[in-house]
Amino acid sequence: MLSPKPLTHRPPWHFRLPTQEATESLARALAGTARPGDCWALSGEMGSGKSTFARAFLRALTQNPALEVPSPTFSLVQPYETPVGPAYHYDLWRLEGPESLAELAWDEACAGLMLVEWPERAEDCLPPDAVQLIFSIPVPENGSGLKDSGEVETQMREVTVRNWPPERAFPEVAGLSGAALS
């Protein structure tokens, strides 16, 4: 396995994502900063926006807005060719254990660009400098939560971005206001 880059320390960024379009806008902006060797770790409960973000990120990265981006839930990894080099979309929800990563071109992917859903299942194999995106569905101020699963598509999402590379400026995100947290 490649030796990890040194861990960076920058304040996290926090965004409220009121619509699917807002999630996609953030994904496109961050994809514009992507470089070989990057790992983008997407954490959060089911329905919190990870797959929406991943699809928009990969479409922007490949410069193909119509790209079919299937969920790699069953295959665990889906490779893509992009102008910045090979990209690997992992969904580790069904991973039997981190020792199974060797069978999924993990070492090769570390040299390319990785987008990893359910990164906690990789345990210590995740690069320590991975940009972490933690998605959540905030509880409404009235504390009522979801009434039925049909509301998930229209509900507010939030994302916190941690471990941003210090040598890169954080991109402006059209239509979103985000704040660096101290």
Side-chain angles (χ1 to χ4, degrees), residues 12-15 17 26 30 40-45 48-50 53 119-120 130-137 157-163:
W13 287 82
H14 185 76
F15 292 92
L17 305 169
L26 177 63
L30 296 183
W40 302 81
L42 312 179
S43 299
E45 61 191 280
S48 61
K50 296 182 305 294
F53 179 93
E120 56 279 356
V131 175
Q132 303 163 1
L133 291 95
I134 300 105
F135 291 84
S136 62
I137 302 172
R157 296 337 191 256
E158 295 181 344
V159 65
T160 300
V161 181
R162 297 185 188 277
N163 207 30

Side-chain angles (χ1 to χ4, degrees), residues 50-167:
K50 296 182 305 294
S51 294
T52 297
F53 179 93
R55 284 184 184 95
F57 186 97
L58 288 163
R59 287 176 178 145
L61 195 64
T62 61
Q63 300 174 358
N64 181 352
L67 180 70
E68 182 66 31
V69 181
S71 173
T73 300
F74 293 101
S75 63
L76 302 181
V77 63
Q78 181 69 41
Y80 295 89
E81 287 301 321
T82 77
V84 297
Y88 301 85
H89 180 197
Y90 286 89
D91 183 331
L92 302 182
W93 175 250
R94 297 180 62 244
L95 187 72
E96 292 181 17
E99 61 279 351
S100 301
L101 291 172
E103 301 169 20
L104 300 174
W106 188 262
D107 289 343
E108 179 183 334
C110 286
L113 190 141
M114 299 166 58
L115 192 63
V116 183
E117 295 184 59
W118 303 100
E120 56 279 356
R121 297 186 184 261
E123 296 180 9
D124 292 339
C125 296
L126 194 71
D129 64 339
V131 175
Q132 303 163 1
L133 291 95
I134 300 105
F135 291 84
S136 62
I137 302 172
V139 176
E141 289 182 21
N142 64 11
S144 66
L146 288 176
K147 292 186 175 119
D148 63 52
S149 61
E151 290 186 33
V152 169
E153 291 305 313
T154 59
Q155 192 174 24
M156 173 74 70
R157 296 337 191 256
E158 295 181 344
V159 65
T160 300
V161 181
R162 297 185 188 277
N163 207 30
W164 187 257
E167 69 277 4

